Amino acid sequence: MRAHGTSITRSYASSWSLEVGRGWVTRSLAVQVHGGDWRRSLLLERDEHGRWHAAASTSGDADYPAPGLVNPSDVEDALDCDLALCPVTNTMPIRRLSLRDRAVPATALIMAWVDVPTLQVVRSDQTYAADPAASPGKVQFASDGGDFRSELTIDDDGIVIDYPQLARRARLPR
């Protein structure tokens, strides 16, 4: 899968592109963020040995910590990244675990979570679960040790179409 998107807030704008390989495992994520007089970029890549590498740059005077991997060993077991405020990055674990097709108990995963707008990459412990017979098109998601929970609505391709209090897929006119 290849995907890209943009987001605009009152404080900054961002754009991203994502590349996913076989088995629905993340290959790379490129993110650019800019505010009034500052810019940041991050290229996060997972190599063939499963190690994450980050190249980051900044310009201007944003009062944020440096972008990039905060502690690379924390994300050694992560198969995917999770871009803050971007429901598309939930697709990889949803597809890999076949959550749209079969009942799956809460499954713990480690993500390389990318904070926006800092573009710092840190570990995020998350769980995904589904029971399509009881709740078709619904995935139970939790992070931060279960402190954050949400019920995601997915389409037939396993892509999030409704992430309560965050995003809802817009229908484009034909």
Side-chain angles (χ1 to χ4, degrees):
M1 175 177 84
R2 290 180 191 211
H4 64 275
T6 59
S7 178
I8 299 172
T9 73
R10 291 183 179 131
S11 305
Y12 61 86
S14 64
S15 62
W16 55 268
S17 62
L18 173 70
E19 185 175 337
V20 178
R22 291 177 194 234
W24 292 96
V25 175
T26 302
R27 284 189 188 157
S28 66
L29 174 69
V31 187
Q32 297 79 37
V33 180
H34 63 89
D37 61 348
W38 57 270
R39 294 185 178 281
R40 304 182 141 233
S41 67
L42 171 72
L43 175 59
L44 182 63
E45 296 179 298
R46 189 171 181 279
D47 69 22
E48 64 274 2
H49 304 291
R51 290 185 297 263
W52 291 96
H53 304 276
S57 66
T58 64
S59 66
D61 190 25
D63 190 23
Y64 296 124
L69 287 160
V70 172
N71 188 350
S73 64
D74 283 353
V75 295
E76 283 179 354
D77 295 325
L79 297 178
D80 301 303
C81 63
D82 183 3
L83 179 60
L85 309 175
C86 180
V88 173
T89 53
N90 295 97
T91 304
M92 293 84 75
I94 289 170
R95 290 297 301 261
R96 192 172 47 255
L97 295 171
S98 299
L99 296 178
R100 64 193 168 110
D101 303 322
R102 63 187 181 97
V104 176
T107 302
L109 301 172
I110 298 168
M111 299 291 168
W113 187 75
V114 181
D115 179 59
V116 175
T118 68
L119 301 185
Q120 286 196 309
V121 182
V122 297
R123 177 185 173 128
S124 175
D125 294 299
Q126 302 179 358
T127 60
Y128 287 81
D131 186 356
S135 299
K138 302 292 184 181
V139 170
Q140 304 307 313
F141 170 76
S143 65
D144 297 330
D147 289 344
F148 176 82
R149 295 180 178 280
S150 189
E151 183 176 73
L152 312 177
T153 303
I154 60 173
D155 67 11
D156 290 340
D157 293 317
I159 297 173
V160 175
I161 56 175
D162 186 21
Y163 193 130
Q165 300 179 350
L166 176 63
R168 182 177 299 211
R169 183 165 69 193
R171 296 211 183 257
L172 300 175
R174 289 184 182 216

